[in-house]
Amino acid sequence: MALVRGIEIYSGTTAPLLTGSALPIVIVGTAQGAIAAVNTITKVTSTADAIAKFGTHTAGDTIPRSLEVLLRYGCNNIYVIRTTYSATPATNETNLIGADTAGARTGLYLVKDIPSKFNVYPAFVLVPGFNSDAVATALDSVVNAVRSYGILDATDGDTVAAVLTARDTATGIGKKSERLIIAYPSLKRASAPTIFEPLSVHIAGSVAKDGSYGKSTSSLTLLGVLEPSITLSMSLTDENSDTAKLNAKGVVTVIIDGSDYDTWGDRNALYPSALTNRSYISVVRLEDAIMQKAIERARKFIDQPATVTTALLAQASFNAMFYEMTTQGEINSGKATWSEAESNLNTGKLKYALEAESILPVELIQLTVTIGV
């Protein structure tokens, strides 16, 4: 059924833009000691809240330790979907994916209900410990539906060569999508090196701590980690290093920076099959942010008189939004245009085209050194 009243969008979301510690992040997984019911959406805002609702880690769990990582970064707007744990991996995966039945969704598909129930659109959807093709396909479908990003971890313990090979396929972490991020490797917890933490959760947490949406997701400091769980050659200059090879296949990894480790890589899973701007994680997130800001402004003009004056005032409001974003260094430029020919004042319909030029991150610096004699 066509929308007859409201704001019709061709690309975007319909909830307030949240950043920083309030960045909405979703975890779908298992927690055997939880009191939170399975196949419900439970909001977590603090460490005490997390422990009370999901308990502490038990072998086979993916939720408790993921919450610990996000809370380490100050995240306080976390949405958790607990699925039924099974000792059988195939059953566990089936439970995690769930069913996409409107009004009775379960598992991963419950993410679709978050906007209507909580008036937020997730920035990231995490499924730590799961990366099969069935999971990747369901995750891609869900994050496209809610205009979010899904992050898949490569299988813990896989070699760099195995990850690179997997990226050359079209299944699992090899899936090509502008709405998926592939992360590798896991990280040893500084306070307990035998605990391996998924990089996916650290990426979401570090982006929240950074507080931006138009900037690169690379070069963000990781908190509470000792080192990668596997030996990884890292280099800013060697194209044959593991980090360079992973980036070349569209994998976000880590790199050492002084005494810290940082995220390393700013391309989504569409890369390198597509070399367009949409293979940048920041560009897709920026588009979503622009649409959310525009929808907030457009809402103020619903039920106003359908006149040329109203149409031009709305256009001015959208252009003011772009001016603010330009002056704050979030975009290079932006322009809103009222499409008078495609609007119909007699039926109360206004149509606008919003165009923005993103600021891409620096990926390569070439140096030439000359020494005089």
Side-chain angles (χ1 to χ4, degrees):
M1 180 182 296
L3 182 69
V4 296
R5 177 180 174 78
I7 304 165
E8 187 173 9
I9 55 176
Y10 297 93
S11 176
T13 56
T14 55
L17 178 65
L18 300 173
T19 59
S21 60
L23 191 74
I25 298 172
V26 179
I27 304 173
V28 185
T30 56
Q32 298 164 72
I35 63 169
V38 297
N39 292 315
T40 60
I41 305 165
T42 304
K43 185 175 180 179
V44 171
T45 60
S46 67
T47 298
D49 198 23
I51 294 173
K53 294 173 179 175
F54 293 97
T56 55
H57 178 79
T58 298
D61 287 351
T62 59
I63 290 174
R65 285 179 176 169
S66 294
L67 284 171
E68 290 174 12
V69 173
L70 291 180
L71 291 162
R72 193 184 304 161
Y73 288 92
C75 300
N76 59 21
N77 197 18
I78 309 167
Y79 299 84
V80 183
I81 298 169
R82 176 192 171 211
T83 58
T84 303
Y85 173 77
S86 170
T88 305
T91 303
N92 233 3
E93 180 181 295
T94 299
N95 294 340
L96 179 110
I97 294 171
D100 190 12
T101 305
R105 292 187 175 104
T106 59
L108 181 55
Y109 288 105
L110 265 172
V111 173
K112 291 184 176 182
D113 291 345
I114 292 177
S116 60
K117 290 186 177 182
F118 295 92
N119 195 34
V120 298
Y121 273 75
F124 296 106
V125 179
L126 311 175
V127 287
F130 297 87
N131 64 8
S132 71
D133 187 51
V135 171
T137 299
L139 180 61
D140 189 44
S141 171
V142 167
V143 294
N144 270 282
V146 299
R147 309 292 299 179
S148 179
Y149 254 116
I151 312 181
L152 287 171
D153 292 286
T155 302
D156 199 21
D158 270 3
T159 63
V160 172
V163 174
L164 297 177
T165 298
R167 280 295 292 154
D168 285 333
T169 70
T171 60
I173 65 168
K175 188 172 291 294
K176 310 302 185 286
S177 170
E178 67 178 38
R179 290 284 172 183
L180 294 179
I181 298 170
I182 309 303
Y184 173 84
S186 58
L187 303 159
K188 295 180 182 179
R189 181 180 292 188
S191 60
T194 57
I195 296 176
F196 292 178
E197 299 176 336
L199 179 56
S200 61
V201 188
H202 280 277
I203 291 171
S206 62
V207 170
K209 183 175 176 59
D210 182 65
S212 65
Y213 51 81
K215 291 173 18 183
S216 173
T217 50
S218 188
S219 296
L220 301 179
T221 301
L222 303 174
L223 302 181
V225 302
L226 178 65
E227 61 184 0
S229 61
I230 53 94
T231 300
L232 194 69
S233 64
M234 308 176 189
S235 176
L236 296 175
T237 59
D238 183 4
E239 63 183 14
N240 293 312
S241 67
D242 291 335
T243 50
K245 290 178 180 178
L246 289 164
N247 282 175
K249 293 292 186 180
V251 178
V252 177
T253 185
V254 299
I255 199 164
I256 195 165
D257 185 12
S259 59
D260 296 319
Y261 284 94
D262 293 349
T263 56
W264 193 243
D266 45 32
R267 300 278 191 157
N268 56 43
L270 192 62
Y271 187 83
S273 62
L275 304 179
T276 65
N277 285 3
R278 299 196 68 81
S279 68
Y280 286 93
I281 299 167
S282 58
V283 168
V284 178
R285 293 193 70 229
L286 178 63
E287 178 187 76
D288 293 343
I290 290 172
M291 189 56 72
Q292 289 187 50
K293 286 173 174 280
I295 288 169
E296 289 185 76
R297 287 174 177 265
R299 175 64 184 91
K300 298 175 183 178
F301 293 94
I302 296 293
D303 293 323
Q304 296 302 306
T307 63
V308 172
T309 299
T310 299
L312 294 176
L313 285 173
Q315 177 180 264
S317 179
F318 296 139
N319 279 318
M321 171 192 75
F322 282 133
Y323 175 78
E324 291 174 1
M325 297 181 73
T326 302
T327 56
Q328 292 170 4
E330 297 164 353
I331 58 174
N332 271 324
S333 62
K335 180 182 180 181
T337 304
W338 172 41
S339 179
E340 186 172 359
E342 296 182 82
S343 299
N344 190 331
L345 296 179
N346 293 327
T347 60
K349 172 187 172 183
L350 299 176
K351 185 171 182 178
Y352 297 85
L354 307 182
E355 302 173 84
E357 182 181 340
S358 62
I359 301 174
L360 298 180
V362 174
E363 285 191 308
L364 180 67
I365 296 177
Q366 297 177 320
L367 302 177
T368 299
V369 178
T370 301
I371 300 176
V373 292

